[in-house]
């Protein structure tokens, strides 16, 4: 049986389209940002011989002795490459992306396709794997982790308190759909050195309670079941942050009250993160 060409695989073309949109929106300048997606092995087998390992790639940016990806052993990911520009992904997916399988001991990635030359996964791939492990424990259908630098969310971290409840409350008030799209809110981390075990572990811990984790003065991590869902989460939070940045220095004449946010949540059958909304108070910033 002749194998299908991987360039026609829906998971690859959708991944490339998403990366192109992220670049178009200014979220992923140069080689800023990264995406990883857990693939179904049966689907991958339609396009690749999964028994053929091109080379083994040690993980970057982690202490090998302490990092353990063995819970993901045998799982296959499509992931962006280190130093690769998002603007080039769609025109040259094989040079900028790779399909890798986590080794049986959880200590390296086995390259099945892509990363031509000496390419390798993003240096933040270990952080992605930590987040994948955290999200899969919460929802086995979560397959995507996406990191980007949305302009207004990044700007917001410079002028807004870096407190999860306050940050979430502000974003919810900036758009009627926000409490419906991310009722669990957003988690917020202070500035940390990227590409390390420490920020990966901190992000993964936050991922246990939310699908969006803001990295102060850096960007955001999002997780979801599909590329569209994850992109949409970040897109919605970024739009809310844009509205905040456009209005933060102006006197506010109107706002969405907590009581109204609770009505929204009730109507759309979602449960807002506890401890943020007070039904009888109309918060103003």
């Amino acid at each position: 049986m002749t194998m299908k060409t991987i360039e026609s695989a829906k998971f690859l073309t959708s991944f490339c389209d998403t990366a192109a949109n992220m670049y178009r929106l200014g979220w992923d300048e140069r080689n800023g940002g990264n995406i990883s997606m857990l693939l179904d092995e049966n689907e991958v087998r339609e396009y690749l011989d999964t028994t053929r390992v091109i080379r083994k790639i040690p993980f970057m940016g982690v202490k090998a002795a302490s990092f353990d990806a063995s819970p993901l052993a045998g799982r296959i990911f499509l992931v962006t490459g280190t130093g690769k520009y998002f603007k080039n992904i769609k025109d040259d997916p094989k040079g900028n992306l790779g399909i890798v399988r986590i080794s049986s001991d959880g200590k390296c990635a086995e390259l099945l396709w892509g990363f031509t030359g000496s390419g390798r996964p993003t240096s933040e791939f270990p952080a992605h794997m930590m987040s994948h492990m955290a999200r899969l424990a919460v929802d086995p259908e979560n397959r995507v982790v996406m990191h980007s630098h949305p302009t207004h969310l990044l700007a917001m971290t410079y002028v807004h308190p870096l407190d999860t409840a306050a940050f979430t409350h502000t974003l919810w008030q900036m758009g009627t759909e926000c409490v419906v799209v991310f009722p669990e809110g957003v988690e917020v981390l202070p500035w940390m050195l990227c590409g390390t075990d420490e920020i990966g572990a901190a992000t993964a811990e936050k991922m246990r309670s939310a699908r969006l984790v803001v990295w102060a003065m850096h960007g955001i991590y999002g997780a979801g079941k599909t590329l569209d869902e994850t992109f949409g989460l970040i897109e919605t939070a970024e739009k809310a942050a844009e509205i905040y940045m456009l209005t933060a220095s102006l006197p506010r004449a109107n706002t969405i009250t907590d009581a109204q946010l609770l009505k929204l949540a009730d109507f759309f059958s979602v449960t807002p993160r506890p401890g943020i909304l007070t039904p009888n108070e109309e918060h103003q910033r």
Side-chain angles (χ1 to χ4, degrees):
M1 184 180 71
T2 304
M3 237 173 234
K4 303 174 186 176
T5 61
I6 195 161
E7 287 76 11
S8 66
K10 180 64 176 175
F11 61 77
L12 182 65
T13 58
S14 296
F15 196 99
C16 292
D17 287 342
T18 298
N21 269 329
M22 294 169 74
Y23 177 75
R24 176 182 58 82
L25 290 169
W27 296 0
D28 295 275
E29 71 292 338
R30 199 173 182 266
N31 63 320
N34 24 78
I35 315 170
S36 63
M37 180 167 67
L38 179 61
L39 300 178
D40 177 82
E41 184 169 359
N42 291 326
E43 187 176 14
V44 176
R45 284 195 189 118
E46 295 181 25
Y47 303 93
L48 293 176
D49 177 0
T50 58
T51 66
R52 178 178 174 267
V53 176
I54 298 169
R55 54 189 164 92
K56 294 187 177 182
I57 307 173
F59 298 131
M60 296 172 63
V62 292
K63 304 178 188 74
S66 62
F67 179 64
D68 179 19
S70 58
L72 296 172
R75 307 300 291 271
I76 296 174
F77 292 88
L78 175 58
V79 59
T80 51
T82 186
K84 303 301 183 181
Y85 289 28
F86 266 49
K87 70 182 181 69
N88 297 330
I89 288 175
K90 192 164 184 176
D91 289 336
D92 181 18
K94 193 171 185 179
N96 293 282
L97 306 176
I99 295 177
V100 300
R101 180 173 55 217
I102 307 305
S103 62
S104 58
D105 62 1
K107 294 298 183 183
C108 71
E110 299 170 345
L111 181 63
L112 304 179
W113 174 88
F115 294 144
T116 53
S118 58
R120 56 193 300 161
T122 169
S123 62
E124 290 180 1
F125 190 38
H128 279 241
M129 285 185 283
M130 292 180 197
S131 286
H132 277 291
M133 288 186 275
R135 288 307 307 168
L136 287 168
V138 175
D139 184 347
E141 293 186 12
N142 269 209
R143 297 171 51 236
V144 176
V145 170
M146 190 177 289
H147 170 54
S148 60
H149 307 156
T151 305
H152 299 93
L153 275 166
L154 180 56
M156 188 171 165
T157 65
Y158 284 89
V159 299
H160 191 284
L162 300 177
D163 171 80
T164 288
F167 211 92
T168 293
H169 189 270
T170 295
L171 291 178
W172 282 350
Q173 283 194 319
M174 294 301 107
T176 296
E177 77 280 10
C178 289
V179 72
V180 179
V181 173
F182 48 95
E184 74 274 30
V186 300
E187 290 282 1
V188 183
L189 286 175
W191 187 92
M192 299 176 70
L193 184 63
C194 58
T196 63
D197 289 22
E198 290 75 18
I199 196 168
T203 303
E205 182 59 34
K206 298 290 188 184
M207 280 280 180
R208 296 183 188 279
S209 54
R211 293 167 296 161
L212 291 171
V213 181
V214 172
W215 286 6
M217 286 72 78
H218 184 149
I220 193 168
Y221 253 58
K225 298 177 182 178
T226 65
L227 289 163
D228 274 353
E229 179 185 80
T230 313
F231 180 93
L233 278 169
I234 296 174
E235 184 179 36
T236 305
E238 166 64 0
K239 180 64 172 287
E242 180 178 10
I243 295 168
Y244 173 76
M245 293 304 297
L246 286 169
T247 59
S249 62
L250 302 171
R252 187 180 296 183
N254 306 292
T255 196
I256 304 173
T257 67
D258 284 14
Q260 290 168 336
L261 288 169
L262 287 166
K263 283 183 181 179
L264 277 165
D266 180 64
F267 184 79
F268 287 98
S269 300
V270 299
T271 303
R273 185 182 185 125
I276 295 179
L277 298 179
T278 307
N280 299 321
E281 292 183 11
E282 297 186 3
H283 292 268
Q284 301 274 357
R285 279 190 60 83

